[in-house]
Amino acid sequence: NAGVTQTPKFQVLKTGQSMTLQCAQDMNHEYMSWYRQDPGMGLRLIHYSVGAGITDQGEVPNGYNVSRSTTEDFPLRLLSAAPSQTSVYFCASSYSSGGAQETQYFGPGTRLLVL
Amino acid sequence: GDSVTQMEGPVTLSEEAFLTINCTYTATGYPSLFWYVQYPGEGLQLLLKATKADDKGSNKGFEATYRKETTSFHLEKGSVQVSDSAVYFCALSSRLGKSTFGDGTTLTVKP
C-alpha cells in the first residue's frame, strides 16, 4: 500500500493564481481531512469529509474548496492564492469506529509559497 | 467546541532524562485521545492512543493514561534518547468525523 500520497511536494504561486493540491489514499478509509501547519500554531483543520459526496468546513475554510467524488481522492483547491496561504498542507485519512475518527494516516505534505 | 492544550515548548533534555509533556482537553462526550509524532520534513505519525477512560496507551517506551476526571492525557517516557527529538502533538477525535490538535511541543534531546 502507498498509504496517503500528496502532490506536488513543493509549489510556488503568485498572488491571485489558483491551483489544486492532490491527495489520494489506497486504504479504503471513509474519513479524509486537510490541515495546514504554520509555525507555533499546530495543525488547523481546513475541510474534511466523512465519505464520498460529503464534505464539511473545518476551522479555517476561507479561500479553499474541496470535493470528494470518490473514496480515494480528496483534492484541495485554492481559488485565488494569497500570501497568508503560505504554509505546509497535510492530507490525512482514517477509518471510523462508532462514528468517531480513528487513527489518522498523514501524507508527506505539500509546502506552498505564495509570493 | 473541542480544544486541546499542550505544555508550551520547546523542551530540551539530556539523554536518559525523564520526559513529561502535559496535555489537557475540553470536549463533549467521550473522545478518543492520541499522541502523534512528527520528525523533520515528514508528516505526523501515530505514537499511541487511548479510546476510553483509564486506558493506557504505550509504544516505544512512551506512555499516556486517559484521565477523565482531570481531562488529561500526559505523555511520559522514562529515559529519552537522541532519536526521540521531534515535535509531539496531542489530539482528540470526536464522533463528528474530525480531530482537534494541540499546538505541538518540540523536544530536543542532547547527548
Side-chain angles (χ1 to χ4, degrees), chain B residues 84-107:
Chain B
D84 293 328
S85 298
V87 182
Y88 293 82
F89 291 90
C90 184
L92 66 83
S93 73
S94 70
R95 292 189 175 275
L96 302 175
K98 58 182 180 177
S99 293
T100 302
F101 286 79
D103 288 344
T105 301
T106 300
L107 170 66

Side-chain angles (χ1 to χ4, degrees), chain B residues 64-105:
Chain B
T65 301
Y66 190 142
R67 301 285 188 202
K68 187 169 179 298
E69 64 276 11
T70 55
T71 61
S72 64
F73 193 54
H74 305 321
L75 182 68
E76 296 183 335
K77 186 174 185 184
S79 176
V80 294
Q81 305 300 312
V82 172
S83 57
D84 293 328
S85 298
V87 182
Y88 293 82
F89 291 90
C90 184
L92 66 83
S93 73
S94 70
R95 292 189 175 275
L96 302 175
K98 58 182 180 177
S99 293
T100 302
F101 286 79
D103 288 344
T105 301

Side-chain angles (χ1 to χ4, degrees), chain B residues 42-60:
Chain B
E42 298 182 8
L44 281 69
Q45 56 187 277
L46 178 71
L47 179 60
L48 54 83
K49 69 178 184 182
T51 57
K52 60 182 188 297
D54 299 325
D55 267 2
K56 177 185 281 189
S58 61
N59 185 27
K60 299 180 182 178

Side-chain angles (χ1 to χ4, degrees), chain A residues 31 33 35 37 40-43 45 48-50 57 90 95 97-108 111, chain B residues 30 32 34 36 38 41-46 49 51 87 89 91-104:
Chain A
Y31 292 172
S33 304
Y35 297 90
Q37 183 177 29
M41 300 186 75
L43 269 72
L45 182 64
Y48 67 103
S49 169
V50 299
Q57 296 181 352
F90 288 101
Y95 59 93
S97 176
Q101 189 176 46
E102 275 295 337
T103 302
Q104 291 192 82
Y105 294 80
F106 285 81
R111 191 173 296 272
Chain B
Y30 304 97
S32 293
F34 304 83
Y36 289 88
Q38 183 181 33
E42 298 182 8
L44 281 69
Q45 56 187 277
L46 178 71
K49 69 178 184 182
T51 57
V87 182
F89 291 90
L92 66 83
S93 73
S94 70
R95 292 189 175 275
L96 302 175
K98 58 182 180 177
S99 293
T100 302
F101 286 79
D103 288 344

Side-chain angles (χ1 to χ4, degrees), chain A:
Chain A
N1 284 354
V4 179
T5 58
Q6 291 184 239
T7 56
K9 284 191 170 60
F10 180 72
Q11 183 73 44
V12 179
L13 291 179
K14 294 182 179 177
T15 297
Q17 287 184 317
S18 63
M19 80 160 294
T20 299
L21 279 63
Q22 301 292 345
C23 174
Q25 54 95 4
D26 61 359
M27 296 173 282
N28 201 32
H29 285 166
E30 302 156 72
Y31 292 172
M32 295 187 76
S33 304
W34 274 104
Y35 297 90
R36 59 178 289 173
Q37 183 177 29
D38 301 294
M41 300 186 75
L43 269 72
R44 292 185 290 169
L45 182 64
I46 304 171
H47 286 284
Y48 67 103
S49 169
V50 299
I54 307 169
T55 64
D56 205 348
Q57 296 181 352
E59 183 185 352
V60 288
N62 292 342
Y64 307 95
N65 218 348
V66 293
S67 60
R68 183 112 178 260
S69 56
T70 67
T71 300
E72 294 78 21
D73 299 300
F74 191 43
L76 178 72
R77 281 180 284 277
L78 277 69
L79 308 173
S80 177
S84 60
Q85 293 179 303
T86 293
S87 188
V88 181
Y89 291 84
F90 288 101
C91 179
S93 73
S94 68
Y95 59 93
S96 69
S97 176
Q101 189 176 46
E102 275 295 337
T103 302
Q104 291 192 82
Y105 294 80
F106 285 81
T110 294
R111 191 173 296 272
L112 177 67
L113 175 62
V114 182
L115 302 174

